[in-house]
Amino acid sequence: MALFTGSFKEFEKYVGPTTNKLITKLGKELKREQKSCQNHQIGGENCGVWKRLDAAHFSSQGRDRKSMIKELLESNFKIEEDIYNVDLDKFIILFEEQHRNKGLSSNLIMLCRQHHARYDLPYKGKNVGFEYEDVEILENYSLLPLLLTDAISEHKSTEIKKSIVKEINELGVTLSNCSYAKFTNKKWQFDIKEDKLKQDLYFVFYNPSDYSFDIGKITEAELDKISMSLKQKEYDDRKAERSFSFDFDGDNYIEKHTQQIVKVIYSNRFEIQTE
Ligand SMILES: [Zn+2]
């Protein structure tokens, strides 16, 4: 039996990192139900970001991680003012139970980094005396690669696109609102019919070298602002198109003519799957 005796500040310093690991574990479990940023649940705009989600606490209700730890220490392990005697195994069990009380989604919410930071901002600094930042990064561990078939290994674009759309259909991506390009001549080039630009559009950025891809989103409002600045292609026998040409700067896909940045909402790759 491991025992801790000390102040709240010391507890947070030595045991805090362990609670991070537990939150990551619980977050992975919650992510099976909450697959994208749940910003709309806390009164914000719809977001749709999939990768790098955090398991965030409900700070606005005073249910941040520090307050929840303090509550457990106060009611179970207090021996005198700001001195706690803690059976650590018991604490970990109680901490997990406390998060499962009324369901994980009552105590944690999946948010992207941006919306997590924005949500916590008004409550930062209210819990003084903590030694480190409360960061709970949760990578997309649960994501399985898509099956690499012969057609895909030959880079047949319709097969690749169909397979991707099928996989991420639940994000609202369909064959008619997404466009595909593979990396050639150091860029991704999309030629998209003008009448397709009156909606939120998804861009599949495909890398033939390692069969990986990112899905980026440009909203209808953003398209509206930039579409006149894009190169136009006119044809006699079919509808006019606009050309999008993207660079990748290490963090973002950027359209060369308009400097429009694309928000990446999903990333994955194709791999041969062996059972
Ligand atoms: Zn978000």
Side-chain angles (χ1 to χ4, degrees), residues 247-261:
D247 274 333
F248 186 67
D249 73 354
D251 288 316
N252 293 300
Y253 292 92
I254 301 165
E255 205 288 314
K256 289 182 184 179
H257 296 102
T258 59
Q259 301 302 307
Q260 176 70 44
I261 291 175

Side-chain angles (χ1 to χ4, degrees), residues 73-272:
L73 293 190
E74 285 288 314
S75 51
N76 295 282
F77 305 108
K78 187 172 182 171
I79 50 175
E80 57 183 273
E81 195 54 41
D82 200 31
I83 300 290
Y84 306 90
N85 189 23
V86 186
D87 172 343
L88 291 170
D89 291 326
K90 188 178 171 198
F91 169 80
I92 289 300
I93 291 166
L94 289 175
F95 186 69
E96 180 162 350
E97 272 173 13
Q98 185 190 31
H99 280 79
R100 291 191 184 282
N101 184 24
K102 295 184 190 137
L104 278 182
S105 60
S106 310
N107 297 294
L108 293 172
I109 183 169
M110 302 307 300
L111 294 175
C112 69
R113 303 311 307 280
Q114 187 195 359
H115 285 128
H116 188 187
R118 195 184 297 170
Y119 176 61
D120 279 347
L121 201 59
Y123 316 104
K124 274 262 143 63
K126 286 211 172 162
N127 295 290
V128 286
F130 288 95
E131 295 285 327
Y132 66 95
E133 277 293 296
D134 182 15
V135 179
E136 295 158 7
I137 306 170
L138 191 68
E139 292 290 343
N140 231 340
Y141 293 110
S142 56
L143 212 54
L144 287 172
L146 311 193
L147 179 63
L148 184 67
T149 62
D150 287 346
I152 288 164
S153 68
E154 288 160 21
H155 304 300
K156 290 192 172 144
S157 46
T158 48
E159 292 301 315
I160 294 170
K161 192 175 161 183
K162 252 188 351 208
S163 170
I164 291 173
V165 166
K166 191 176 147 221
E167 180 66 21
I168 55 170
N169 202 254
E170 59 187 291
L171 292 178
V173 182
T174 64
L175 285 171
S176 59
N177 67 11
C178 95
S179 193
Y180 161 93
K182 84 178 162 198
F183 187 63
T184 37
N185 301 324
K186 296 186 177 172
K187 64 176 193 287
W188 289 265
Q189 167 92 26
F190 298 83
D191 296 318
I192 302 176
K193 289 193 181 69
E194 286 185 338
D195 56 3
K196 219 176 152 177
L197 303 178
K198 302 279 175 220
Q199 59 183 336
D200 295 350
L201 256 195
Y202 298 90
F203 295 80
V204 180
F205 299 95
Y206 180 66
N207 285 299
S209 62
D210 63 357
Y211 308 108
S212 69
F213 60 89
D214 288 320
I215 310 289
K217 179 182 181 181
I218 301 186
T219 65
E220 186 181 354
E222 287 166 339
L223 285 170
D224 212 40
K225 274 189 216 151
I226 64 166
S227 62
M228 298 310 282
S229 316
L230 295 162
K231 264 197 212 155
Q232 191 181 37
K233 289 188 165 179
E234 297 208 59
Y235 305 94
D236 291 337
D237 56 340
R238 54 191 168 112
K239 286 175 181 151
E241 293 174 350
R242 295 278 173 178
S243 290
F244 296 73
S245 183
F246 290 95
D247 274 333
F248 186 67
D249 73 354
D251 288 316
N252 293 300
Y253 292 92
I254 301 165
E255 205 288 314
K256 289 182 184 179
H257 296 102
T258 59
Q259 301 302 307
Q260 176 70 44
I261 291 175
V262 183
K263 184 155 85 175
V264 172
I265 63 161
Y266 179 88
S267 305
N268 205 338
R269 64 192 186 283
F270 291 96
E271 242 180 50
I272 294 171

Side-chain angles (χ1 to χ4, degrees), residues 37-39 47-49 111-112 114-115:
C37 174
Q38 302 292 303
N39 189 47
C47 175
V49 166
L111 294 175
C112 69
Q114 187 195 359
H115 285 128

